[in-house]
């Protein structure tokens, strides 16, 4: 059963849990290439905006702090031993200080909103990463985008580049992962990845 069209609902958290608990995903360790990829970026202390169930915090071996608007998801992340906050909790925490983080990760989040909303979200958290910090934007490709009814807008390389530029970020590069771009038309887990820097 797919979730209702809101990522803030408890139903969405339950759906995410069901997706990650599929036996074949555990058996094959499907997160291995994504885990290796994320760690290879050498991101330091990461601010994971829209952290969901904490998959990327796990992939980063806990070297980060998550923020999410779903209370059930934040509770799940904490149960798993990672640090996560609701937005208002983050602002009141020891981590809610300018320049506190080495990087910002927005992974499989932008597509859940319209462009202006995504821009506003990233802009809200940019002050918490240092000058020169890396910003990592990751979104699903075609099949992945269609797989979730809470997806709103398709963010391809052009859209991600526009998003970064609208925030004054310096784009370093973008690429398709883990397979070339054309694979995203048939493989659900192919991703658009854009790396940028905060220069001011």
């Amino acid at each position: 059963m797919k979730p209702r069209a809101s990522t803030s609902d408890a139903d969405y958290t339950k759906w995410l849990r069901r997706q990650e608990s599929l036996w074949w995903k555990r058996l094959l360790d499907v997160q291995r290439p994504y885990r290796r990829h994320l760690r290879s970026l050498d991101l330091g202390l990461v601010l994971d905006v829209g952290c969901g169930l904490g998959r990327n915090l796990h992939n980063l071996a806990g070297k980060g702090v998550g923020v999410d608007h779903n209370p059930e998801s934040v509770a799940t992340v904490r149960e798993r031993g990672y640090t996560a906050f609701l937005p208002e909790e983050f602002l009141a925490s020891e981590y809610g200080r300018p320049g506190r983080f080495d990087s910002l990760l927005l992974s499989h989040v932008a597509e859940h909103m319209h462009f202006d909303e995504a821009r506003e979200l990233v802009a809200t958290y940019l002050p918490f990463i240092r000058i020169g910090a890396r910003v990592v934007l990751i979104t699903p490709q075609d099949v992945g985008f269609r797989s979730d009814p809470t997806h709103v807008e398709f963010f391809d390389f052009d859209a991600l580049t526009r998003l970064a530029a609208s925030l004054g970020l310096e784009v370093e590069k973008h690429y398709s992962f883990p397979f070339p771009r054309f694979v995203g038309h048939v493989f659900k887990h192919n991703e658009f990845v854009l790396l940028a820097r905060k220069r001011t």
Side-chain angles (χ1 to χ4, degrees):
M1 185 178 76
K2 290 187 176 182
R4 291 178 295 172
S6 175
T7 58
S8 62
D9 289 345
D11 284 349
Y12 189 71
T13 301
K14 292 174 184 176
W15 182 72
L16 290 176
R17 285 175 175 161
R18 286 195 298 272
Q19 294 302 302
E20 72 172 13
S21 66
L22 295 172
W23 67 269
W24 59 270
K25 289 186 176 182
R26 297 196 307 271
L27 178 66
L28 298 176
D29 188 16
V30 296
Q31 278 296 304
R32 182 181 299 172
Y34 303 93
R35 183 164 57 246
R36 291 180 64 183
H37 169 246
L38 205 53
R39 292 183 183 182
S40 75
L41 297 177
D42 193 22
L43 298 174
L45 184 63
V46 178
L47 176 55
D48 184 4
V49 178
C51 64
L53 301 183
R55 179 180 65 194
N56 286 317
L57 293 173
H58 174 72
N59 287 345
L60 291 163
K63 296 178 182 176
V65 170
V67 181
D68 201 282
H69 69 162
N70 186 315
E72 292 288 333
S73 294
V74 169
T76 298
V77 176
R78 291 171 176 169
E79 288 168 7
R80 294 175 174 183
Y82 302 110
T83 304
F85 300 98
L86 292 168
E88 60 274 17
E89 294 174 333
F90 172 78
L91 295 175
S93 76
E94 62 181 291
Y95 297 101
R97 303 201 313 266
R100 180 71 172 79
F101 294 87
D102 300 310
S103 59
L104 184 152
L105 174 64
L106 192 81
S107 177
H108 290 262
V109 176
E111 68 274 9
H112 291 277
M113 56 193 73
H114 295 291
F115 184 93
D116 288 343
E117 296 170 315
R119 185 190 183 284
E120 182 179 353
L121 178 66
V122 178
T124 297
Y125 291 99
L126 277 180
F128 302 105
I129 65 173
R130 60 177 175 77
I131 302 298
R134 178 170 271 174
V135 176
V136 182
L137 306 176
I138 302 175
T139 55
Q141 295 182 5
D142 308 77
V143 178
F145 180 78
R146 294 193 297 268
S147 72
D148 186 334
T150 67
H151 289 170
V152 173
E153 187 165 330
F154 189 63
F155 279 79
D156 58 8
F157 291 133
D158 288 342
L160 290 176
T161 299
R162 284 193 295 110
L163 178 60
S166 74
L167 293 160
L169 301 174
E170 180 182 309
V171 175
E172 293 184 325
K173 62 179 177 177
H174 59 67
Y175 52 91
S176 179
F177 183 86
F179 302 112
R181 171 69 183 95
F182 70 88
V183 179
H185 294 287
V186 294
F187 178 56
K188 178 180 175 181
H189 304 291
N190 232 39
E191 301 174 328
F192 297 110
V193 182
L194 183 140
L195 306 181
R197 291 278 181 185
K198 177 184 175 181
R199 293 303 188 191
T200 59

